[in-house]
Amino acid sequence: MAAAFPRSSSLVVALQLGIFLLFLSSIAVGDDVSRAAPGNESAACGNDFRLVKIKMWVNGVEKEPIGGLTADFGSLLPAHAEEGHRFPAAFADPLNGCSLSSSNLSDSIALVVRGDCIFTTKAKVAEAGGAAGLIVINDEEGLVQMGCGNDTRLNITIPVITISKSGGDELHKSMSSGVKVELLLYSPDRPILDYSVIFLWLMAVGTIVSASLWSEITGSNQSDEQYDELSPQESAGAADKDDEEKEILHINAKSAIVFVITASTFLLLLYFFMSSWFIWLLIVLFCIGGIEGMHNCIVSLVLSKFRGSEQKKMNLPLLGEVSIFSLAVLIFCVVFAVAWAANRKASYSWIGQDILGICMMITVLQLAQLPNIKVATVLLCCAFVYDIFWVFLSPFIFHDSVMIAVAEGDKSGGESIPMLLRVPRIADPYYGYNMIGFGDILFPGLLVSFAFRFDKANKKGVLNGYFLWLSIGYGVGLLFTYLGLYLMNGYGQPALLYLVPCTLGTCVVLGWIRGELKHLWTYDTDDTRESSEPIARGEEA
């Protein structure tokens, strides 16, 4: 097949590097901040941290709401906006709110900045000044949990919340011209399950199943019939060309360990040096991979139905002879990726990101393959430890969950890492996205794809094979991931903690029960192919 850019060794190496980058996002993130648990009725210390919505009116015109988080002290907020009250907003003077304000805060919501004194002091000063509520503006992105400290007998009767730096900038911008700004604070309850999780589950499982069955979907295994119609010399030449275009990266145990070491190194670089330009580098790499993946998927699907589409060709500088159809698809893919990058912050941009990501993962799973369960065990066990360490254990070393900090992009200047499938939350009043990292699809996907090839090579049926059961295992593992997400109040989960036992564990247990574990452990498609060649030649003779 003539393509606008044929696959080569350099492309395979680029995809191998791409896997390192995709692996960094191997985490399921359900919330932009931790899920707030239901509140209690106490106004003293010990309140639950609850998410807050701040409705804003500028000269009577309602604007987009701002998100916040309550302190574990202060009065509780109503769950419905209709039960709340509008108050004018006023910046304290001094702005740190550590001493009585010279400005009138009576029956107003006081705005102060974080720093110079503890949160409880700011709350006491604001209440003494007659404020109806207190908003503490964080000095960085994200929401800080404001505790009582050692003052456990504190009794603050006004609501106290915190907002991010960008939220504070938005308020300051609205109030800088001297217009009247009014705020209403309320804390709506969140649904136990958002329907977007179901859609995200279908996308993840569908990507793995589609990638595994891609050769059957596109009918690429029928290409031998075309070569049989040629002369022996033409047939051999065409086969060699096809092999070059379909160069496969076979992962071994050593490269599996290198994956994890490289990913850990790059993750630390992102954690310490993350900035908007660093994220832009990842966006460019994502677009390049997405263009290649989308081009491969569209061309292979169309040519599987219309073989004549590749006949018309033209010569271009640098590219040489290319198919006109393939070139047209390439131009479309480039325009699609550029349009997504230009509108990546729009509310609908998740659609383009998911399309590019799914196409890229399908292509990667076609070009990267596991030879046997031995290599799969090394790779997935290393990934299992990697995920758990950087999510749950890294806070003991870095005082922060490195994986979650990178996935949420707290230091990215408002940019977000694109190596994620994301779906907007439908029923959640706080909006945001449910997300899953590409690594949580790619790495189990390598094992599921191996199971399909193994079943096909050994002529196994659907029920007595491994592909169906591993696909079900992946789906169940993903359900456990989101169950853990909700049980832990939205704290980002290392998805491979659940996916590896449900996929690799299923494969090992089934192989042991069927007495095929040794065959799975040492199986190698190259060895199988070589051993079958003498038999084929003997039959010809």
PDB file of all heavy atoms in Angstrom, residues 133-158:
ATOM      1  N   GLY A 133     -19.392  36.340  54.973  1.00  0.00           N
ATOM      2  CA  GLY A 133     -18.658  35.163  54.531  1.00  0.00           C
ATOM      3  C   GLY A 133     -17.232  35.539  54.185  1.00  0.00           C
ATOM      4  O   GLY A 133     -16.898  36.724  54.076  1.00  0.00           O
ATOM      5  N   LEU A 134     -16.372  34.545  54.051  1.00  0.00           N
ATOM      6  CA  LEU A 134     -14.963  34.796  53.753  1.00  0.00           C
ATOM      7  C   LEU A 134     -14.513  33.888  52.612  1.00  0.00           C
ATOM      8  O   LEU A 134     -14.760  32.685  52.632  1.00  0.00           O
ATOM      9  CB  LEU A 134     -14.096  34.540  54.984  1.00  0.00           C
ATOM     10  CG  LEU A 134     -12.571  34.626  54.773  1.00  0.00           C
ATOM     11  CD1 LEU A 134     -12.160  36.063  54.435  1.00  0.00           C
ATOM     12  CD2 LEU A 134     -11.813  34.130  55.996  1.00  0.00           C
ATOM     13  N   ILE A 135     -13.853  34.503  51.620  1.00  0.00           N
ATOM     14  CA  ILE A 135     -13.238  33.759  50.516  1.00  0.00           C
ATOM     15  C   ILE A 135     -11.738  34.006  50.559  1.00  0.00           C
ATOM     16  O   ILE A 135     -11.296  35.161  50.475  1.00  0.00           O
ATOM     17  CB  ILE A 135     -13.809  34.183  49.153  1.00  0.00           C
ATOM     18  CG1 ILE A 135     -15.284  33.823  49.060  1.00  0.00           C
ATOM     19  CG2 ILE A 135     -13.035  33.515  48.016  1.00  0.00           C
ATOM     20  CD1 ILE A 135     -15.932  34.240  47.738  1.00  0.00           C
ATOM     21  N   VAL A 136     -10.979  32.931  50.702  1.00  0.00           N
ATOM     22  CA  VAL A 136      -9.513  33.012  50.715  1.00  0.00           C
ATOM     23  C   VAL A 136      -9.008  32.620  49.329  1.00  0.00           C
ATOM     24  O   VAL A 136      -9.272  31.508  48.856  1.00  0.00           O
ATOM     25  CB  VAL A 136      -8.905  32.092  51.789  1.00  0.00           C
ATOM     26  CG1 VAL A 136      -7.383  32.185  51.766  1.00  0.00           C
ATOM     27  CG2 VAL A 136      -9.445  32.457  53.168  1.00  0.00           C
ATOM     28  N   ILE A 137      -8.279  33.526  48.679  1.00  0.00           N
ATOM     29  CA  ILE A 137      -7.757  33.286  47.336  1.00  0.00           C
ATOM     30  C   ILE A 137      -6.398  32.595  47.453  1.00  0.00           C
ATOM     31  O   ILE A 137      -5.471  33.149  48.065  1.00  0.00           O
ATOM     32  CB  ILE A 137      -7.631  34.601  46.552  1.00  0.00           C
ATOM     33  CG1 ILE A 137      -8.991  35.293  46.471  1.00  0.00           C
ATOM     34  CG2 ILE A 137      -7.065  34.344  45.158  1.00  0.00           C
ATOM     35  CD1 ILE A 137      -8.931  36.688  45.879  1.00  0.00           C
ATOM     36  N   ASN A 138      -6.282  31.410  46.898  1.00  0.00           N
ATOM     37  CA  ASN A 138      -5.030  30.660  46.960  1.00  0.00           C
ATOM     38  C   ASN A 138      -3.958  31.366  46.127  1.00  0.00           C
ATOM     39  O   ASN A 138      -4.269  32.087  45.165  1.00  0.00           O
ATOM     40  CB  ASN A 138      -5.253  29.233  46.440  1.00  0.00           C
ATOM     41  CG  ASN A 138      -4.143  28.289  46.861  1.00  0.00           C
ATOM     42  OD1 ASN A 138      -3.262  28.649  47.646  1.00  0.00           O
ATOM     43  ND2 ASN A 138      -4.170  27.082  46.339  1.00  0.00           N
ATOM     44  N   ASP A 139      -2.686  31.143  46.476  1.00  0.00           N
ATOM     45  CA  ASP A 139      -1.593  31.775  45.742  1.00  0.00           C
ATOM     46  C   ASP A 139      -1.090  30.916  44.585  1.00  0.00           C
ATOM     47  O   ASP A 139      -0.068  31.219  43.970  1.00  0.00           O
ATOM     48  CB  ASP A 139      -0.430  32.108  46.689  1.00  0.00           C
ATOM     49  CG  ASP A 139       0.028  30.911  47.488  1.00  0.00           C
ATOM     50  OD1 ASP A 139      -0.509  29.805  47.261  1.00  0.00           O
ATOM     51  OD2 ASP A 139       0.911  31.068  48.354  1.00  0.00           O
ATOM     52  N   GLU A 140      -1.790  29.819  44.285  1.00  0.00           N
ATOM     53  CA  GLU A 140      -1.455  28.976  43.148  1.00  0.00           C
ATOM     54  C   GLU A 140      -2.733  28.271  42.696  1.00  0.00           C
ATOM     55  O   GLU A 140      -3.774  28.367  43.339  1.00  0.00           O
ATOM     56  CB  GLU A 140      -0.389  27.947  43.523  1.00  0.00           C
ATOM     57  CG  GLU A 140      -0.779  27.047  44.665  1.00  0.00           C
ATOM     58  CD  GLU A 140       0.328  26.114  45.090  1.00  0.00           C
ATOM     59  OE1 GLU A 140       1.500  26.422  44.823  1.00  0.00           O
ATOM     60  OE2 GLU A 140       0.000  25.071  45.684  1.00  0.00           O
ATOM     61  N   GLU A 141      -2.631  27.579  41.548  1.00  0.00           N
ATOM     62  CA  GLU A 141      -3.802  26.860  41.057  1.00  0.00           C
ATOM     63  C   GLU A 141      -4.130  25.693  41.992  1.00  0.00           C
ATOM     64  O   GLU A 141      -3.264  25.151  42.666  1.00  0.00           O
ATOM     65  CB  GLU A 141      -3.556  26.352  39.641  1.00  0.00           C
ATOM     66  CG  GLU A 141      -3.588  27.449  38.594  1.00  0.00           C
ATOM     67  CD  GLU A 141      -4.868  28.281  38.643  1.00  0.00           C
ATOM     68  OE1 GLU A 141      -5.957  27.684  38.636  1.00  0.00           O
ATOM     69  OE2 GLU A 141      -4.771  29.516  38.692  1.00  0.00           O
ATOM     70  N   GLY A 142      -5.375  25.291  41.997  1.00  0.00           N
ATOM     71  CA  GLY A 142      -5.798  24.231  42.900  1.00  0.00           C
ATOM     72  C   GLY A 142      -6.444  24.808  44.145  1.00  0.00           C
ATOM     73  O   GLY A 142      -6.372  26.013  44.430  1.00  0.00           O
ATOM     74  N   LEU A 143      -7.089  23.942  44.890  1.00  0.00           N
ATOM     75  CA  LEU A 143      -7.808  24.331  46.099  1.00  0.00           C
ATOM     76  C   LEU A 143      -7.110  23.745  47.312  1.00  0.00           C
ATOM     77  O   LEU A 143      -6.817  22.560  47.345  1.00  0.00           O
ATOM     78  CB  LEU A 143      -9.257  23.828  46.029  1.00  0.00           C
ATOM     79  CG  LEU A 143     -10.056  24.309  44.814  1.00  0.00           C
ATOM     80  CD1 LEU A 143     -11.435  23.671  44.796  1.00  0.00           C
ATOM     81  CD2 LEU A 143     -10.172  25.829  44.805  1.00  0.00           C
ATOM     82  N   VAL A 144      -6.847  24.590  48.300  1.00  0.00           N
ATOM     83  CA  VAL A 144      -6.153  24.166  49.504  1.00  0.00           C
ATOM     84  C   VAL A 144      -7.177  23.807  50.578  1.00  0.00           C
ATOM     85  O   VAL A 144      -8.229  24.436  50.691  1.00  0.00           O
ATOM     86  CB  VAL A 144      -5.202  25.274  50.007  1.00  0.00           C
ATOM     87  CG1 VAL A 144      -5.964  26.535  50.347  1.00  0.00           C
ATOM     88  CG2 VAL A 144      -4.383  24.794  51.191  1.00  0.00           C
ATOM     89  N   GLN A 145      -6.885  22.773  51.344  1.00  0.00           N
ATOM     90  CA  GLN A 145      -7.754  22.390  52.454  1.00  0.00           C
ATOM     91  C   GLN A 145      -7.381  23.215  53.686  1.00  0.00           C
ATOM     92  O   GLN A 145      -6.264  23.129  54.180  1.00  0.00           O
ATOM     93  CB  GLN A 145      -7.623  20.894  52.742  1.00  0.00           C
ATOM     94  CG  GLN A 145      -8.150  20.015  51.626  1.00  0.00           C
ATOM     95  CD  GLN A 145      -8.091  18.542  51.958  1.00  0.00           C
ATOM     96  OE1 GLN A 145      -7.376  18.132  52.870  1.00  0.00           O
ATOM     97  NE2 GLN A 145      -8.837  17.735  51.232  1.00  0.00           N
ATOM     98  N   MET A 146      -8.322  23.997  54.162  1.00  0.00           N
ATOM     99  CA  MET A 146      -8.076  24.891  55.294  1.00  0.00           C
ATOM    100  C   MET A 146      -8.546  24.222  56.580  1.00  0.00           C
ATOM    101  O   MET A 146      -9.746  23.974  56.768  1.00  0.00           O
ATOM    102  CB  MET A 146      -8.805  26.222  55.086  1.00  0.00           C
ATOM    103  CG  MET A 146      -8.361  26.978  53.849  1.00  0.00           C
ATOM    104  SD  MET A 146      -9.117  28.618  53.701  1.00  0.00           S
ATOM    105  CE  MET A 146     -10.839  28.176  53.438  1.00  0.00           C
ATOM    106  N   GLY A 147      -7.595  23.917  57.442  1.00  0.00           N
ATOM    107  CA  GLY A 147      -7.894  23.260  58.709  1.00  0.00           C
ATOM    108  C   GLY A 147      -7.867  24.227  59.872  1.00  0.00           C
ATOM    109  O   GLY A 147      -7.442  25.380  59.768  1.00  0.00           O
ATOM    110  N   CYS A 148      -8.280  23.710  61.040  1.00  0.00           N
ATOM    111  CA  CYS A 148      -8.322  24.533  62.256  1.00  0.00           C
ATOM    112  C   CYS A 148      -6.957  24.664  62.918  1.00  0.00           C
ATOM    113  O   CYS A 148      -6.758  25.545  63.763  1.00  0.00           O
ATOM    114  CB  CYS A 148      -9.292  23.911  63.273  1.00  0.00           C
ATOM    115  SG  CYS A 148     -11.021  24.073  62.820  1.00  0.00           S
ATOM    116  N   GLY A 149      -6.049  23.777  62.599  1.00  0.00           N
ATOM    117  CA  GLY A 149      -4.777  23.775  63.310  1.00  0.00           C
ATOM    118  C   GLY A 149      -4.964  23.243  64.720  1.00  0.00           C
ATOM    119  O   GLY A 149      -5.643  22.244  64.950  1.00  0.00           O
ATOM    120  N   ASN A 150      -4.383  23.929  65.689  1.00  0.00           N
ATOM    121  CA  ASN A 150      -4.480  23.496  67.089  1.00  0.00           C
ATOM    122  C   ASN A 150      -5.710  24.052  67.811  1.00  0.00           C
ATOM    123  O   ASN A 150      -5.998  23.665  68.934  1.00  0.00           O
ATOM    124  CB  ASN A 150      -3.216  23.932  67.855  1.00  0.00           C
ATOM    125  CG  ASN A 150      -1.968  23.276  67.318  1.00  0.00           C
ATOM    126  OD1 ASN A 150      -2.014  22.124  66.897  1.00  0.00           O
ATOM    127  ND2 ASN A 150      -0.845  24.005  67.320  1.00  0.00           N
ATOM    128  N   ASP A 151      -6.428  24.958  67.151  1.00  0.00           N
ATOM    129  CA  ASP A 151      -7.579  25.604  67.797  1.00  0.00           C
ATOM    130  C   ASP A 151      -8.831  24.770  67.542  1.00  0.00           C
ATOM    131  O   ASP A 151      -9.685  25.108  66.719  1.00  0.00           O
ATOM    132  CB  ASP A 151      -7.745  27.019  67.243  1.00  0.00           C
ATOM    133  CG  ASP A 151      -8.693  27.847  68.097  1.00  0.00           C
ATOM    134  OD1 ASP A 151      -9.278  27.289  69.044  1.00  0.00           O
ATOM    135  OD2 ASP A 151      -8.850  29.049  67.810  1.00  0.00           O
ATOM    136  N   THR A 152      -8.957  23.649  68.236  1.00  0.00           N
ATOM    137  CA  THR A 152     -10.071  22.728  68.001  1.00  0.00           C
ATOM    138  C   THR A 152     -11.391  23.226  68.578  1.00  0.00           C
ATOM    139  O   THR A 152     -12.442  22.682  68.264  1.00  0.00           O
ATOM    140  CB  THR A 152      -9.749  21.352  68.607  1.00  0.00           C
ATOM    141  OG1 THR A 152      -9.449  21.507  69.992  1.00  0.00           O
ATOM    142  CG2 THR A 152      -8.549  20.731  67.894  1.00  0.00           C
ATOM    143  N   ARG A 153     -11.362  24.240  69.429  1.00  0.00           N
ATOM    144  CA  ARG A 153     -12.587  24.781  70.029  1.00  0.00           C
ATOM    145  C   ARG A 153     -13.074  26.024  69.294  1.00  0.00           C
ATOM    146  O   ARG A 153     -13.925  26.757  69.788  1.00  0.00           O
ATOM    147  CB  ARG A 153     -12.361  25.096  71.507  1.00  0.00           C
ATOM    148  CG  ARG A 153     -12.134  23.864  72.363  1.00  0.00           C
ATOM    149  CD  ARG A 153     -11.861  24.230  73.816  1.00  0.00           C
ATOM    150  NE  ARG A 153     -10.611  24.983  73.941  1.00  0.00           N
ATOM    151  CZ  ARG A 153     -10.139  25.460  75.095  1.00  0.00           C
ATOM    152  NH1 ARG A 153     -10.845  25.265  76.213  1.00  0.00           N
ATOM    153  NH2 ARG A 153      -9.014  26.114  75.138  1.00  0.00           N
ATOM    154  N   LEU A 154     -12.546  26.260  68.117  1.00  0.00           N
ATOM    155  CA  LEU A 154     -12.920  27.429  67.327  1.00  0.00           C
ATOM    156  C   LEU A 154     -14.399  27.353  66.938  1.00  0.00           C
ATOM    157  O   LEU A 154     -14.908  26.292  66.594  1.00  0.00           O
ATOM    158  CB  LEU A 154     -12.054  27.476  66.066  1.00  0.00           C
ATOM    159  CG  LEU A 154     -12.282  28.643  65.119  1.00  0.00           C
ATOM    160  CD1 LEU A 154     -11.776  29.935  65.748  1.00  0.00           C
ATOM    161  CD2 LEU A 154     -11.569  28.387  63.795  1.00  0.00           C
ATOM    162  N   ASN A 155     -15.088  28.483  66.988  1.00  0.00           N
ATOM    163  CA  ASN A 155     -16.501  28.520  66.617  1.00  0.00           C
ATOM    164  C   ASN A 155     -16.740  29.723  65.708  1.00  0.00           C
ATOM    165  O   ASN A 155     -17.034  30.827  66.171  1.00  0.00           O
ATOM    166  CB  ASN A 155     -17.386  28.581  67.860  1.00  0.00           C
ATOM    167  CG  ASN A 155     -18.859  28.408  67.511  1.00  0.00           C
ATOM    168  OD1 ASN A 155     -19.184  27.859  66.462  1.00  0.00           O
ATOM    169  ND2 ASN A 155     -19.721  28.886  68.377  1.00  0.00           N
ATOM    170  N   ILE A 156     -16.598  29.496  64.410  1.00  0.00           N
ATOM    171  CA  ILE A 156     -16.815  30.544  63.414  1.00  0.00           C
ATOM    172  C   ILE A 156     -18.220  30.382  62.859  1.00  0.00           C
ATOM    173  O   ILE A 156     -18.616  29.291  62.448  1.00  0.00           O
ATOM    174  CB  ILE A 156     -15.780  30.438  62.277  1.00  0.00           C
ATOM    175  CG1 ILE A 156     -14.361  30.622  62.833  1.00  0.00           C
ATOM    176  CG2 ILE A 156     -16.054  31.470  61.187  1.00  0.00           C
ATOM    177  CD1 ILE A 156     -14.091  31.990  63.403  1.00  0.00           C
ATOM    178  N   THR A 157     -18.970  31.470  62.809  1.00  0.00           N
ATOM    179  CA  THR A 157     -20.383  31.394  62.411  1.00  0.00           C
ATOM    180  C   THR A 157     -20.624  31.854  60.981  1.00  0.00           C
ATOM    181  O   THR A 157     -21.788  31.939  60.551  1.00  0.00           O
ATOM    182  CB  THR A 157     -21.238  32.242  63.366  1.00  0.00           C
ATOM    183  OG1 THR A 157     -20.800  33.603  63.311  1.00  0.00           O
ATOM    184  CG2 THR A 157     -21.125  31.728  64.792  1.00  0.00           C
ATOM    185  N   ILE A 158     -19.585  32.180  60.225  1.00  0.00           N
ATOM    186  CA  ILE A 158     -19.747  32.556  58.816  1.00  0.00           C
ATOM    187  C   ILE A 158     -19.115  31.475  57.944  1.00  0.00           C
ATOM    188  O   ILE A 158     -18.197  30.776  58.384  1.00  0.00           O
ATOM    189  CB  ILE A 158     -19.095  33.933  58.513  1.00  0.00           C
ATOM    190  CG1 ILE A 158     -17.586  33.884  58.792  1.00  0.00           C
ATOM    191  CG2 ILE A 158     -19.763  35.032  59.318  1.00  0.00           C
ATOM    192  CD1 ILE A 158     -16.841  35.147  58.358  1.00  0.00           C
TER     193      ILE A 158
END
